[in-house]
Amino acid sequence: MNFQLCDKRKAIIAEPGHLLVLGGPGSGKTTVALFKAQKRFPTLKPGQEILFLSFSRAAIRQVLLRCKEILKPAERRAVTVQTYHSFCMDILRAHGRLLVGRPVRFLYPGDERLQKAAFDGDWEVERQRQAKEAGVYCFDLFAHGTAELLERCTALRNLIGDSFPMIIVDEFQDTDDNQWRIVAQLSKVADIFCLADPDQRIFDYRDDIDPLRVDGLRTALAPREFDLGGENHRSPNAGILKFANAVLHNQTPLPETEDITQVRYWPRAFASTVHACVVFTFSELRKLGVQNPSIAVLSRSNALVSDISMILSEPHSYNGRDLPVIEHDVVWDAELSAAAAIVVASILEWPTQPSQKSVSKTLRCIAAYYKLKNAEEPTKTAAEVAQKYEAAAAKVAGEEKPRINAAKEMLALHQRGLQLVGDPVVDWKSARRVLQDISALGELFREVRLVRLFRATDALASGLLNKWLASGNYEGVSDLVQGILEQEKLIAVERDPRGCILMNIHKSKGKEFDGVVLIEGAFKSQFFDERKEVYPYERSRRLLRVGLTRARSRVTILRPHGARSLVGPA
């Protein structure tokens, strides 16, 4: 990274006390914070460290990479990098008994959703009661419990301040109310160094995230403030940031730059044009001399991400040119996809058990999927479907005829036999095809498509292969798959960006890639959400800016003919 310590950055490093550094994507906020940590290192007492707090494991990974570039080994060991949730979990695990008189326990998101689905009442009140009376904390209450601890216990606050005399807070503009309570309490015992970019504020649709959070920081802590402005070290020779800022501020005309290519498509040519744009972007990066380029393919919704994954998994033809399958990873919020994967795993077990056992187990897994769906977005339909599959499972287990057609079709497919060959990818697709063949299970098939058995899920493929090699079948792989999904945290795994990676734009925040392909759907996942926003669509513009500025060298924007212009009047 070409980074010069100018006079402004030297002043930041030398300035004592609370600090606020503002700057856009690639302006070097993280880097100057680590230089600040390096400056502070000689003053640390034995056992003291510098704490770096951020939101996502993707951002944490970027910080750790910067640490290797800037800090010596001893200095790196003195910097603790954590997400808010990880930090709060550590605090609650060690000191939570101060709140409830007993060690706390944690209720993770999947288990919480199932409890919520089964609870008849106000779940928000119930989970607060569980935390207060039983010491059981849901994922979203970690910060609330930690803030309460710090506000009520001066000794604990002082202990943390003594352990971390300097705390760096990344993406400060996105802190929610409870995270801000934590920062405010720690500011009494440590120097707080906040990094912020108000124009990257993309989560303010949540009630607990204040769009004026930075102003509140100024009022409460009176930090010394520095503005790195529009400096861009991520792509210093590119026009990407100027273009992104024009979109953000709705400024016409858009600046012309060779770094951004805009493509329009007709709906019937969507699949081939998407495929061609990804191939084109790889080609352009290689022309620039980028070895093993990384490309993020981004859209606003997981639904379109799923469609794009299927497109890239099949060959297409564009302007007479054959386009090969593009291997890719998918990063997605997929509790439901994981539940659907367990259904597929249960189908892999069919040859090892008679139908009353194996099919009833699959039906119970399907019921669990719909229970989880109902917990995420409670609907009468999902609850009723879950009950139907539970009832069907009981009928099949008792060797009675089930009422619903899906269960009848499943029994017929089981009787026909599932041919498995010992190749985990081939066998997984064979089991997955059962969901595809039964029309009522089309939703599960769409969800499970995102659980890929290629580079993205090596642990899953390896686990299935080892099971087959050990026993010549897949008996018991439902539990194996569930354990792997939980252990690997497949739905949020972070790795070195390489090749082609698909995700929604929210997921891309904190990440960097050589190139970005931004895709707008003709009938879904539009760039400007006219259902929830009014012109000039400020929230959507902030999100688009985040997506555009993930790229170091090239951006390709794919939009349907007739789509609203990126800038201009209503």
Side-chain angles (χ1 to χ4, degrees), residues 6 11 85 93 98 114 144 147 154 162 211 251 270 313 324 355 365 374 387 404 436 439 484 486 503 550 562:
C6 62
H85 278 102
R93 181 180 286 121
L98 296 173
L114 292 176
H144 180 276
T154 302
D162 188 55
Q251 296 173 341
F270 177 67
S313 299
S355 60
C365 290
N374 186 56
Q387 291 176 357
I404 58 176
Q436 187 177 17
S439 59
I484 289 173
E486 292 176 352
M503 68 192 78
R550 298 309 91 199

Side-chain angles (χ1 to χ4, degrees), residues 273-425:
T273 311
V274 165
H275 203 146
C277 281
V278 176
V279 171
F280 166 79
T281 308
F282 271 114
S283 176
E284 289 297 294
L285 289 168
R286 292 188 177 102
K287 288 178 183 178
L288 293 175
V290 179
Q291 300 294 323
N292 301 317
S294 61
I295 290 179
V297 182
L298 308 177
S299 73
R300 287 199 63 159
S301 72
N302 285 338
L304 189 55
V305 168
S306 175
D307 292 344
I308 296 167
S309 177
M310 289 301 292
I311 288 169
L312 299 183
S313 299
E314 300 172 350
H316 290 93
S317 178
Y318 185 80
N319 287 344
R321 178 184 175 186
D322 292 333
L323 304 174
V325 169
I326 297 177
E327 287 195 14
H328 57 277
D329 290 349
V330 182
V331 177
W332 81 114
D333 293 310
E335 289 284 349
L336 285 175
S337 293
I342 295 171
V343 174
V344 174
S346 74
I347 295 171
L348 285 172
E349 296 185 41
W350 280 8
T352 68
Q353 296 284 348
S355 60
Q356 68 266 27
K357 287 189 176 181
S358 56
V359 174
S360 62
K361 180 176 182 178
T362 298
L363 291 168
R364 286 194 298 272
C365 290
I366 295 172
Y369 169 90
Y370 281 103
K371 288 178 182 178
L372 182 59
K373 181 181 180 180
N374 186 56
E376 288 191 334
E377 295 183 18
T379 64
K380 183 178 180 182
T381 300
E384 289 177 349
V385 172
Q387 291 176 357
K388 288 180 180 179
Y389 280 101
E390 285 280 15
K395 290 279 188 182
V396 171
E399 300 188 31
E400 299 178 43
K401 187 176 181 179
R403 293 182 178 179
I404 58 176
N405 289 331
K408 296 175 184 176
E409 294 176 58
M410 201 170 288
L411 285 167
L413 288 170
H414 184 282
Q415 186 175 7
R416 189 181 307 165
L418 182 66
Q419 300 300 316
L420 303 175
V421 298
D423 182 321
V425 175

